[in-house]
Amino acid sequence: MVIAVTLIVSFAIRLTGDPAVMLAQGAGSITEADLDRIREALGLNQSFLTQYIGFLRGLVVGDFGRSFMGGTPVSDLIGRALPATLALAFASLFVSIVVSIPLGIKAAVSRGRWPDQMIRIFSLIGLSFPNFWLAIMLVLLLSITFNLLPPSGMEGFSSFIMPAATMGIILTATNVRLVRTTMLDTLRSQYIMVARAKGLSNTVVLYKHALRNCSIPLITYFGLQFGGLLGGIVVVERVFNWPGLGTLAFEAVSARDYPVLQGVITVLSLMIISINLLVDIAYGLVDPRVRKE
């Protein structure tokens, strides 16, 4: 998977333009010979296959090369940006899980009644919001109009609120519907009727028995959602000027900075593959039937 992703990205980014031309901008008159010298210095005069093999060799030892813009090691750039992206992704997913599970359970228990209808309407509204539009509206409302939160940057806990809320609202709208659907199927099971017949409280029945038994599809989707969150957070990071991988990748695309973009995509791919592995391991932790198999 990593080889396939890096191969496609390495090829595709070379269709976006010539980094030598980007570096030469603002330098006044420049000849084709000057551009050739820049390409030679960057190693761009080599064949694509040679460049890609060199990238894979560096990848084995954690060396992603150096940025075309400034010569900073790509691993250093990623090391500074990765914690910010992970912190925002975890905060967004945490907000979504904490809100969506109780609302989804409430909708399932109240199926067909007004709480179920209201929750489904709000989730549909949440699904209709583009994340960039919601981010801009939060900035206009909470930063510019009421001056309650910083509009951009990463400066303390208050800086997390709007970006995490933006992503959390979008994720919650999807997760509520998933939790509701899985809980409806689980609440029809015979062991739930037996648990109620034994006199167990409604909270114990719902959160200990029903929620745990419908956790496999939830864990699967939350894990995949976290992987997608890492890859799709670039727009929100740009709106809030968040110093994460999304911003780093956006700047690399704009500057035709091949090594930086290759490094970012590779790290994201490795993380998503690792998350899928952790999701598989989590199955056995929550469901004894999986451990037995």
Side-chain angles (χ1 to χ4, degrees), residues 192-258:
I192 296 297
M193 291 185 287
V194 172
R196 293 187 187 279
K198 291 168 62 177
L200 298 178
S201 67
N202 194 48
T203 301
V204 172
V205 171
L206 292 176
Y207 285 90
K208 183 178 180 180
H209 295 280
L211 182 60
R212 183 173 182 181
N213 281 278
C214 70
S215 59
I216 292 296
L218 298 182
I219 290 175
T220 302
Y221 191 76
F222 289 155
L224 296 175
Q225 196 174 57
F226 185 77
L229 189 61
L230 291 175
I233 209 169
V234 56
V235 175
V236 174
E237 287 192 354
R238 288 299 296 170
V239 172
F240 292 104
N241 195 26
W242 195 261
L245 290 178
T247 298
L248 184 62
F250 184 88
E251 294 172 350
V253 171
S254 302
R256 314 294 192 268
D257 200 338
Y258 298 170

Side-chain angles (χ1 to χ4, degrees), residues 105-170:
I105 292 176
K106 179 64 176 177
V109 173
S110 307
R111 181 183 183 184
R113 300 196 296 273
W114 72 264
D116 179 30
Q117 299 293 342
M118 293 299 297
I119 291 172
R120 293 170 66 186
I121 288 173
F122 281 118
S123 67
L124 181 60
I125 294 174
L127 285 172
S128 304
F129 288 152
N131 55 7
F132 66 88
W133 180 87
L134 182 58
I136 293 173
M137 291 301 103
L138 289 178
V139 171
L140 289 174
L141 180 65
L142 300 179
S143 296
I144 297 177
T145 303
F146 295 106
N147 196 27
L148 296 176
L149 297 170
S152 62
M154 182 179 175
E155 301 175 0
F157 175 77
S158 60
S159 301
F160 279 87
I161 296 177
M162 284 197 295
T166 300
M167 300 302 299
I169 290 172
I170 304 297

Side-chain angles (χ1 to χ4, degrees), residues 16-228:
T16 63
D18 189 349
V21 176
M22 297 292 296
L23 287 170
Q25 287 180 351
S29 60
I30 190 166
T31 65
E32 187 63 31
D34 295 327
L35 292 177
D36 289 337
R37 282 193 291 270
I38 294 175
R39 296 186 187 102
E40 184 177 358
L42 298 177
L44 297 175
N45 59 331
Q46 301 173 345
S47 67
F48 169 73
L49 185 59
T50 302
Q51 294 180 52
Y52 180 68
I53 292 175
F55 169 73
L56 291 181
R57 287 175 178 170
L59 178 61
V60 173
V61 296
D63 181 11
F64 296 103
R66 291 181 175 271
S67 170
F68 290 166
M69 306 297 169
T72 307
V74 175
S75 56
D76 291 348
L77 296 175
I78 293 175
R80 291 196 292 266
L82 182 59
T85 293
L86 287 178
L88 181 56
F90 276 115
S92 303
L93 191 62
F94 176 77
V95 169
S96 173
I97 292 174
V98 169
V99 175
S100 62
I101 288 180
L103 287 181
I105 292 176
K106 179 64 176 177
V109 173
S110 307
R111 181 183 183 184
R113 300 196 296 273
W114 72 264
D116 179 30
Q117 299 293 342
M118 293 299 297
I119 291 172
R120 293 170 66 186
I121 288 173
F122 281 118
S123 67
L124 181 60
I125 294 174
L127 285 172
S128 304
F129 288 152
N131 55 7
F132 66 88
W133 180 87
L134 182 58
I136 293 173
M137 291 301 103
L138 289 178
V139 171
L140 289 174
L141 180 65
L142 300 179
S143 296
I144 297 177
T145 303
F146 295 106
N147 196 27
L148 296 176
L149 297 170
S152 62
M154 182 179 175
E155 301 175 0
F157 175 77
S158 60
S159 301
F160 279 87
I161 296 177
M162 284 197 295
T166 300
M167 300 302 299
I169 290 172
I170 304 297
L171 298 178
T172 298
T174 303
N175 292 341
V176 164
R177 301 168 72 91
L178 177 67
V179 173
R180 177 184 181 275
T181 301
T182 55
M183 283 296 295
L184 284 175
D185 294 337
T186 303
L187 291 176
R188 300 189 188 101
S189 303
Q190 290 185 351
Y191 62 84
I192 296 297
M193 291 185 287
V194 172
R196 293 187 187 279
K198 291 168 62 177
L200 298 178
S201 67
N202 194 48
T203 301
V204 172
V205 171
L206 292 176
Y207 285 90
K208 183 178 180 180
H209 295 280
L211 182 60
R212 183 173 182 181
N213 281 278
C214 70
S215 59
I216 292 296
L218 298 182
I219 290 175
T220 302
Y221 191 76
F222 289 155
L224 296 175
Q225 196 174 57
F226 185 77

